[in-house]
Amino acid sequence: MDENSFGIRDGEVAIPLPDHYDASLYFIGRIHTPWKQRRDCPKNPRESNEVCTIEVDPRWAPALARVESLSHIIVLYWMDRSRRDLIVQVPRHYGEKFGTFALRSPARPNPIALSVARLVGIEGNKLKVVGLDCLDGTPLLDIKPYFASTDAKPDAEVGWHAGRKNAEGKR
Amino acid sequence: MDENSFGIRDGEVAIPLPDHYDASLYFIGRIHTPWKQRRDCPKNPRESNEVCTIEVDPRWAPALARVESLSHIIVLYWMDRSRRDLIVQVPRHYGEKFGTFALRSPARPNPIALSVARLVGIEGNKLKVVGLDCLDGTPLLDIKPYFASTDAKPDAEVGWHAGRKNAEGKR
């Protein structure tokens, strides 16, 4: 299967989507990365030290006040090329079936992706960060402060992943 | 100001919202908690050990396969009662101005909230979790596995918060 295709693999299950949406989103900026195609993207954020740029639309730029005091941010973005109807997936590099909610795959009912990024600097409406792995031009949804007190769970375990080499359930 | 009102405080800045949306969401379930009003909610997830229930719509329930092997999950949900036009906010318990993206306040252009929850058990389409602080009935958007390797940053710092008592920038 072509790496950029979004077909279904053997064992995957797609369902009919609901007939209406329940809420709507604004794209509030774009993420600029060195990766123009899916096959170029790092498999997970630990695999790259590239500095990426988050460009916030000028409309929302004043909302960045005091973000410069954060060492890490949570970045939410929209995986706009992903199919939303898969409930069971077979990631290529695992070759086994998983429920969508056990994976970080971009294919999910609401393709909101989340990365924890280290903030390197801010200039105006542009943030320099390390720790993203998405395609160039990805739409931005939100930026949040990362609080170690509530967000860091260093002892968390992903049972299905124990003993495997790759750190993420991406396809 | 009434605690359940969503007016503007002195120093807060609201802007006109964009004239169109860019993407849409499905509510894929509901979160059941003991808290029926905003004033009842814990100030942050560390303040409560209550077991809450995430009820996934039957349509998406097969997507929970292998979630039972996770110790912690990332829960994304929709703060459906929040205003979306505030770029500068003055959290009540801080009394200072912050850009929206420096806070975890529910008021933000895309009111997607994020909590890291400990998974206690699963029965069918219902997950028992500890670590949520939202209102009863909150719409569910996504469930993701928490990977300590990429999501845990125990040394992360929130500069503006250093030395303060409360762990979050919520209002």
Side-chain angles (χ1 to χ4, degrees), chain B residues 7 11 26 52 106 108 116-117 135 153-154:
Chain B
Y26 303 115
C52 300
R108 48 207 317 118
V116 180
L135 285 171
K153 307 288 181 189

Side-chain angles (χ1 to χ4, degrees), chain A:
Chain A
M1 180 180 296
D2 171 54
E3 199 239 18
N4 283 305
S5 103
F6 292 82
I8 289 197
R9 297 193 180 86
D10 282 350
E12 293 192 328
V13 178
I15 58 168
L17 288 169
D19 59 7
H20 68 280
Y21 291 111
D22 300 294
S24 296
L25 298 170
Y26 303 115
F27 294 165
I28 62 167
R30 293 277 166 178
I31 300 176
H32 303 292
T33 76
W35 308 296
K36 309 289 185 195
Q37 296 200 61
R38 252 185 139 187
R39 66 166 172 270
D40 302 328
C41 293
K43 234 200 294 284
N44 70 60
R46 287 190 308 165
E47 287 194 6
S48 169
N49 284 316
E50 292 280 354
V51 176
C52 300
T53 302
I54 301 173
E55 182 169 6
V56 175
D57 287 346
R59 174 194 302 267
W60 303 108
L64 291 170
R66 301 180 81 164
V67 166
E68 74 280 355
S69 79
L70 311 173
S71 71
H72 292 75
I73 56 175
I74 297 172
V75 184
L76 300 183
Y77 47 99
W78 189 248
M79 307 300 279
D80 53 352
R81 304 198 208 170
S82 300
R83 57 186 299 162
R84 302 173 69 163
D85 59 351
L86 293 183
I87 49 174
V88 174
Q89 302 184 45
V90 180
R92 191 161 45 107
H93 54 288
Y94 294 140
E96 295 168 20
K97 293 183 198 176
F98 292 83
T100 290
F101 299 138
L103 297 173
R104 290 287 272 266
S105 162
R108 49 208 317 119
N110 294 305
I112 302 166
L114 174 164
S115 286
V116 180
R118 179 166 58 83
L119 184 62
V120 176
I122 302 189
E123 268 185 49
N125 63 333
K126 295 189 179 70
L127 285 71
K128 298 287 184 188
V129 302
V130 171
L132 299 182
D133 59 1
C134 58
L135 284 171
D136 186 44
T138 296
L140 176 70
L141 295 178
D142 200 9
I143 295 169
K144 299 179 188 292
Y146 182 97
F147 281 87
S149 54
T150 50
D151 301 322
K153 308 287 181 189
D155 300 327
E157 287 178 10
V158 175
W160 64 255
H161 188 265
R164 291 173 197 260
K165 277 187 193 162
N166 296 307
E168 300 240 327
K170 298 178 75 172
R171 308 208 293 176

Side-chain angles (χ1 to χ4, degrees), chain B residues 25-170:
Chain B
L25 298 170
Y26 303 115
F27 294 164
I28 62 167
R30 294 278 166 178
I31 301 175
H32 303 293
T33 76
W35 308 296
K36 309 289 185 197
Q37 296 199 61
R38 252 186 140 187
R39 66 167 170 269
D40 302 329
C41 293
K43 236 200 291 286
N44 69 61
R46 287 189 309 164
E47 288 195 6
S48 169
N49 284 316
E50 292 280 354
V51 176
C52 300
T53 302
I54 300 174
E55 183 169 5
V56 174
D57 286 346
R59 175 194 300 267
W60 302 108
L64 291 170
R66 302 179 82 164
V67 166
E68 73 280 356
S69 79
L70 311 173
S71 71
H72 291 75
I73 56 175
I74 297 173
V75 184
L76 299 184
Y77 47 98
W78 188 249
M79 307 300 279
D80 54 352
R81 304 198 209 171
S82 300
R83 59 186 299 163
R84 301 174 69 164
D85 59 350
L86 293 184
I87 49 174
V88 174
Q89 302 185 41
V90 180
R92 190 162 44 108
H93 53 287
Y94 293 141
E96 295 169 22
K97 294 184 199 176
F98 291 84
T100 290
F101 300 137
L103 298 173
R104 290 287 272 264
S105 161
R108 48 207 317 118
N110 294 306
I112 302 166
L114 174 165
S115 286
V116 180
R118 179 165 59 84
L119 184 62
V120 177
I122 302 189
E123 268 185 49
N125 64 333
K126 294 189 177 71
L127 285 70
K128 299 286 183 188
V129 300
V130 171
L132 298 182
D133 59 2
C134 59
L135 285 171
D136 187 43
T138 296
L140 177 69
L141 297 178
D142 199 9
I143 295 170
K144 299 178 189 293
Y146 183 97
F147 281 88
S149 54
T150 50
D151 301 323
K153 307 288 181 189
D155 300 327
E157 287 179 9
V158 175
W160 65 255
H161 188 266
R164 292 174 196 259
K165 277 187 196 164
N166 296 308
E168 300 242 326
K170 298 179 75 172

